[in-house]
Amino acid sequence: RGAVGDLGRKELDAAKKAGDKSAEATMLLALAETAGGQEPTEQLQRWAKDSIGLFKEIGDRKMYATALLALAGLRLKASRPEEAAKASSEATAIFRELGDKRGEAWALHAAAEAYAFDGLADEAVREARKALELLRQLGLRKAEAAELHAISRWLLLRGHAQEAIEVVNQALEILEEVYALADAREIAYWKTLVLAHTKANNTTSALRAARDGFDRCEDARDKSGEGNAHLLISAVQSNSGQFGKAIRSATKATYAFEDAGNQSGRGEALCVMSRIRGRLGLFDKALRDLEEALNAFEDLGDMLGQGRALQQRSEVFMGKKDMKSALRCAVEARELFQDTKDASGEAQALLQVSTAELAGGNFERAGRAAEEAKGLFAEMDDMVGEASAELMAMATQMRSEDYDAAVKTG
């Protein structure tokens, strides 16, 4: 438990002893919203639900709807999008009834996020456009830009690249109007624009957008932004087969992140460099890049970053046909993802474990790892991942049967 949770509990106990249900409900909601990372998600959800019950009891409709939105966000973090959408929709109706357009817009956006998480991009865009209209009526320009950016991302999910380009450009125009210089969030908008041009098979426009994003960050003297822009440029160059240029751009990114004191960004850039070198068969250089990245993530205590770097090391070792080392890295990655409760990372690492075990002829262990991965993907409703794990399990079974037949026939 963290300091926020401990202090909040004391305030909560004081409100209960005083019989002040409004203060109790408010403190429960504050704990649900601010104790993330210090308390289990289940506890946060209990606090949110308890606050909802108390706000309903005392008849505070606005705070009841606000607590519903907090619960929706927590449900989404717990990978329960249908429940998140239901809570958001109820909050939307209440804010609309109260004539609170700002609250209604936030609730509509929360519903859109839940639909997008569930793969329902059309529904997400529909709700987000309703939120966008309200934000325009309220004159909230920054929020309008953020909503346009969200819509562009969901349009991309539906394969509507050209429309996504038009929408994210509207968002960027607003940001350039509101901010003389780029702020730290703007690079995400440029990333979406680059991806949209890439999806539209327009490499020239994608590269121009990445360089425009770099110029905005350079003008703002945002070194981390520059690093991210270099990575965008590198991605475009790599996708178009310009691997030498892509490595140089990724190298520039490491320098920019280092200048910014951003070790996490530097680690990510090193992982990008490693991935390109791996594609070129430069396995030893790729491993050196990943060793540096792993050290950066370890210094930060970033277990997820370490897990991702170890997964990449496993892939590189597989490329070198060093299955023993590949297995070791995959097992270490799986343990890190387990410790951080990252089910998706754990499932992917298990597939790597299965692949390495299969290559080593350890069919039973390979099959067990594939089945474990399948179970995790099923829990997350990840049908693509589940199908991949099923195929791996089938391949393991077939290889095992072939081996047994070969032994029997001598």
Side-chain angles (χ1 to χ4, degrees), residues 142-343:
K142 295 176 188 177
E144 180 186 345
E147 201 66 36
L148 284 164
H149 180 224
I151 291 169
S152 69
R153 289 189 290 110
W154 297 328
L155 285 168
L156 271 181
L157 287 178
R158 296 293 295 136
H160 302 314
Q162 196 56 50
E163 190 176 357
I165 290 167
E166 293 168 9
V167 173
V168 74
N169 269 322
Q170 291 176 41
L172 283 165
E173 285 172 11
I174 293 172
L175 290 184
E176 290 180 17
E177 171 191 320
V178 172
Y179 298 106
L181 297 172
D183 80 334
R185 293 163 294 184
E186 188 176 314
I187 193 65
Y189 293 54
W190 291 105
K191 183 176 181 179
T192 300
L193 181 58
V194 169
L195 180 59
H197 279 304
T198 301
K199 294 282 187 183
N201 296 314
N202 195 331
T203 300
T204 301
S205 296
L207 194 56
R208 185 186 307 119
R211 286 176 172 151
D212 286 346
F214 174 82
D215 290 344
R216 282 279 289 172
C217 294
E218 187 179 41
D219 289 344
R221 298 182 180 178
D222 176 4
K223 285 294 181 181
S224 284
E226 287 181 29
N228 281 308
H230 280 308
L231 289 182
L232 288 179
I233 293 168
S234 176
V236 176
Q237 291 166 333
S238 179
N239 287 337
S240 60
Q242 302 176 65
F243 299 117
K245 289 183 178 179
I247 290 173
R248 287 194 290 277
S249 294
T251 302
K252 290 178 184 177
T254 65
Y255 297 150
F257 286 126
E258 195 162 358
D259 288 345
N262 183 346
Q263 286 302 302
S264 178
R266 180 172 171 273
E268 295 295 345
L270 285 162
C271 287
V272 169
M273 288 170 61
S274 171
R275 195 171 293 113
I276 299 167
R277 284 177 166 145
R279 289 177 66 181
L280 294 172
L282 304 173
F283 299 126
D284 290 336
K285 288 185 177 180
L287 288 171
R288 284 198 293 273
D289 291 335
L290 287 171
E291 188 65 34
E292 278 193 67
L294 197 54
N295 290 337
F297 292 132
E298 284 176 350
D299 289 344
L300 293 169
D302 182 351
M303 295 173 72
L304 287 175
Q306 291 173 60
R308 291 192 299 270
L310 283 165
Q311 278 186 301
Q312 265 192 253
R313 280 176 67 83
S314 181
E315 291 173 9
V316 175
F317 279 124
M318 285 183 191
K320 289 189 72 173
K321 309 301 182 189
D322 182 352
M323 292 303 169
K324 185 176 180 179
S325 297
L327 178 60
R328 185 188 70 248
C329 290
V331 169
E332 288 179 26
R334 189 265 175 104
E335 290 171 352
L336 283 165
F337 289 128
Q338 269 187 317
D339 291 343
T340 53
K341 296 184 174 11
D342 183 334

Side-chain angles (χ1 to χ4, degrees), residues 35 42 98 113 161 173 201 245 272 284 354 401 404 407 409:
E42 294 78 9
L98 295 172
E113 291 279 5
E173 285 172 11
N201 296 314
K245 289 183 178 179
V272 169
D284 290 336
S354 181
E401 290 171 357
D404 289 343
V407 170
T409 57

Side-chain angles (χ1 to χ4, degrees), residues 75-93:
R75 293 292 201 217
L76 202 57
K77 284 183 180 178
S79 299
R80 294 158 72 177
E82 290 183 8
E83 293 175 36
K86 183 179 178 182
S88 301
S89 296
E90 186 180 352
T92 299

Side-chain angles (χ1 to χ4, degrees), residues 44 108 110 280:
L44 300 175
L108 284 164
L280 294 172

Side-chain angles (χ1 to χ4, degrees), residues 14-36:
K16 284 180 178 178
K17 287 176 183 175
D20 187 340
K21 290 188 176 181
S22 178
E24 183 183 346
T26 300
M27 185 49 61
L28 283 164
L29 178 57
L31 281 166
E33 291 181 325
T34 62

